[in-house]
Amino acid sequence: MKKLILIAALLAFNANAEESKKERLCKTIYEVADSVMKSRQNGTPMEKLMGITNGNKELIDMVIGAYRMPLMNSHKMKMQMRTEYANKKMVECYQS
């Protein structure tokens, strides 16, 4: 019985470790998406952001996605756009 409890505890620990990796990944994706959209909303040319993707497909897709969104005029709307885009990318991460 004690062995079963120990095994169950170890399995739960492994599941939590995997979950933590996913959480860290999704948090990083959120931060990168926010940064990309911040650059977009501040008028950074797309070419400049594409130049720092190093051919990474996920980053390229993130940049393209940001530049498909409209450029906002007010600071409040720019902040809202950043939050919405970063949240969208984080949801996609957790659902993958």
Side-chain angles (χ1 to χ4, degrees):
M1 182 68 163
K2 287 183 181 180
K3 283 186 178 182
L4 287 177
I5 293 172
L6 179 61
I7 291 171
L10 288 173
L11 289 174
F13 177 77
N14 285 338
N16 286 339
E18 286 300 314
E19 187 174 314
S20 294
K21 287 179 187 177
K22 180 85 164 190
E23 287 176 8
R24 286 192 304 269
L25 172 64
C26 293
K27 183 179 179 189
T28 299
I29 286 173
Y30 178 94
E31 291 168 356
V32 171
D34 180 64
S35 181
V36 167
M37 184 54 80
K38 178 181 179 182
S39 295
R40 161 70 175 133
Q41 291 301 317
N42 287 336
T44 302
M46 184 178 179
E47 178 183 21
K48 185 173 183 178
L49 289 181
M50 292 300 272
I52 61 173
T53 63
N54 294 321
N56 181 292
K57 183 183 177 348
E58 289 80 12
L59 288 176
I60 291 169
D61 291 345
M62 195 176 290
V63 171
I64 290 170
Y67 280 83
R68 285 187 173 150
M69 306 298 285
L71 189 60
M72 297 293 143
N73 293 321
S74 72
H75 177 73
K76 181 179 176 181
M77 292 303 295
K78 288 179 182 194
M79 294 301 293
Q80 184 177 348
M81 185 66 73
R82 284 175 58 186
T83 301
E84 289 297 316
Y85 189 67
N87 284 336
K88 176 185 172 197
K89 291 301 181 182
M90 191 175 210
V91 166
E92 290 172 4
C93 175
Y94 276 114
Q95 290 181 334
S96 66

